[in-house]
């Protein structure tokens, strides 16, 4: 990692370092992310206005929602391939090599099974943890609403408890997944090894990882939520009479904005992952790095 200082990085240094690293090859990373998102973008354009699972009267429209999910999930999977390609290019640049659009996607073929498997395994762990954590929270929340004299007080207790539990689940997801790309691309590990590597590097740093990744994720996904709200997306769920009323033209504009802004912010999230991985490795394995440096100095002497 010759382009990153071989020392622990502060919280702000990780985010700032990710921005600076991204800026070095901004056009390349943006193009890689954009190309990866184009197939999914085309699928969403073909879908038109997505459903909400409700018809205008408020009755369930499960079939319509199922069709939409059959489009949205493959589109998201194709976009993830673009994320992997961005990570491949960044890994090459971190090691002082060159990168291009072609080499990024060609280089994504070999590590694809390990990277995809690692993220799916991390997601499975997070889902299981979520079930274990959220079920008692739901029971406790229902009990609070039932026993407290004030319904508002009960809902407040339930909401705060649920938020704390959600942050715990999110912390588990981030810890199991943040080092998967670096472990696969820089260390050649398989899916299970990459998850174990992520868990090991996250030792004693739950809150730090949660904080860094939460900020990076907000920067990554915040604009998309803003666009969704701007085009009345939330109203489509809170008011059944507006379901499916967004015109195809406005939906296409929304999808295009998401395509461009998402391709712009995605490489920042990937760069943050690599900087966070580097920070955790230096903090936990500094002795190994010092030993290796001393051995090299001895050999040269």
């Amino acid at each position: 990692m010759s382009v990153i200082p071989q020392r622990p990085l502060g919280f702000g240094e990780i985010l700032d370092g990710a921005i600076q690293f991204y800026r070095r090859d901004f056009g390349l990373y943006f193009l890689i992310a954009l190309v990866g998102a184009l197939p999914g973008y085309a699928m969403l354009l073909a879908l038109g206005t997505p459903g909400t699972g409700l018809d205008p009267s408020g009755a369930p429209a499960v079939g319509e929602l199922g069709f939409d999910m059959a489009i949205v999930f493959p589109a998201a999977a194709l976009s993830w391939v673009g994320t992997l390609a961005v990570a491949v290019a960044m890994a090459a640049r971190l090691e002082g090599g060159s990168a291009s659009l072609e080499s990024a996607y060609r280089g994504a073929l070999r590590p694809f099974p390990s990277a995809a498997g690692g993220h799916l395994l991390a997601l499975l762990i997070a889902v299981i943890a979520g079930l274990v954590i959220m079920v008692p929270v739901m029971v406790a929340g229902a009990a609070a609403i039932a026993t407290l004299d004030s319904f508002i007080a009960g809902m407040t207790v339930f909401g705060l408890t649920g938020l704390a539990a959600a942050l715990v689940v999110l912390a588990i997801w981030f810890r199991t997944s943040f080092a998967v790309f670096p472990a696969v691309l820089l260390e050649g590990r398989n899916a299970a090894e990459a998850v174990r590597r992520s868990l090991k590097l996250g030792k004693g740093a739950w809150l730090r990882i949660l904080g860094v990744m939460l900020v990076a994720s907000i920067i990554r996904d915040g604009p998309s939520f803003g666009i969704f709200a701007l085009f009345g997306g939330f109203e489509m769920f809170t008011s059944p009479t507006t379901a499916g009323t967004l015109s195809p033209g406005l939906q296409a504009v929304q999808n295009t904005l998401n395509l461009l802004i998402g391709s712009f912010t995605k490489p920042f999230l990937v760069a943050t992952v690599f900087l966070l991985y580097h920070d955790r490795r230096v903090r936990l394995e500094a002795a190994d790095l010092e030993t290796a440096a001393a051995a090299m100095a001895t050999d040269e002497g």
Side-chain angles (χ1 to χ4, degrees):
M1 293 213 173
S2 57
V3 301
I4 302 178
Q6 295 298 307
R7 61 175 176 79
L9 301 174
F11 188 100
E13 287 182 305
I14 292 175
L15 298 173
D16 181 65
I19 293 173
Q20 298 305 319
F21 180 70
Y22 177 22
R23 286 178 58 188
R24 291 180 62 215
D25 297 287
F26 164 76
L28 174 63
Y29 300 139
F30 174 77
L31 180 60
I32 294 172
L34 182 65
V35 170
L38 282 175
Y41 168 72
M43 295 171 67
L44 292 176
L45 284 183
L47 173 63
T49 303
T52 61
L54 300 172
D55 62 23
S57 67
V62 179
E64 177 186 278
L65 186 60
F67 175 78
D68 293 345
M69 291 300 100
I71 298 295
V72 172
F73 283 140
L78 291 170
S79 180
W80 182 88
V81 175
T83 306
L84 174 59
V86 170
V88 168
M90 288 188 172
R93 298 296 289 139
L94 282 170
E95 296 183 323
S98 61
S100 66
L101 176 64
E102 180 183 1
S103 65
Y105 279 97
R106 287 172 62 95
L109 296 176
R110 180 187 57 80
F112 176 84
S114 295
H119 279 98
L120 288 174
L121 178 58
L123 180 61
L124 177 61
I125 293 172
V127 169
I128 293 174
L131 292 175
V132 172
I133 293 171
M134 295 306 293
V135 169
V137 168
M138 296 294 290
V139 173
I145 294 173
T147 57
L148 292 176
D149 293 335
S150 171
F151 176 77
I152 295 178
M155 285 299 296
T156 301
V157 172
F158 179 43
L160 292 176
T161 306
L163 177 61
L167 289 175
V168 171
V169 175
L170 198 60
I172 293 172
W173 159 246
F174 285 145
R175 183 177 172 182
T176 55
S177 65
F178 84 92
V180 168
F181 275 150
V184 170
L185 298 175
L186 298 176
E187 302 178 11
R189 298 178 184 266
N190 61 33
E193 292 171 345
V195 171
R196 286 196 295 268
R197 181 67 165 153
S198 192
L199 290 169
K200 178 182 177 181
L201 291 178
K203 183 178 180 181
W206 287 85
L207 290 178
R208 182 179 179 80
I209 293 170
L210 174 62
V212 171
M213 293 302 297
L214 192 57
V215 171
S217 297
I218 290 173
I219 293 173
R220 164 66 179 88
D221 297 319
S224 294
F225 279 104
I227 292 171
F228 185 72
L230 181 64
F231 281 80
F234 292 111
E235 285 80 355
M236 291 174 64
F237 291 90
T238 58
S239 177
T241 58
T242 66
T245 59
L246 187 64
S247 71
L250 286 178
Q251 183 65 53
V253 172
Q254 178 180 335
N255 290 339
T256 301
L257 289 174
N258 281 328
L259 170 72
L260 297 175
I261 295 176
S263 300
F264 177 79
T265 58
K266 180 183 296 183
F268 168 75
L269 178 61
V270 178
T272 301
V273 164
F274 279 104
L275 268 292
L276 181 58
Y277 157 81
H278 165 77
D279 173 70
R280 296 308 305 157
R281 185 168 183 268
V282 170
R283 290 177 185 274
L284 292 181
E285 301 174 349
D288 294 339
L289 296 174
E290 293 172 1
T291 300
M296 291 177 61
T298 302
D299 291 340
E300 291 175 357

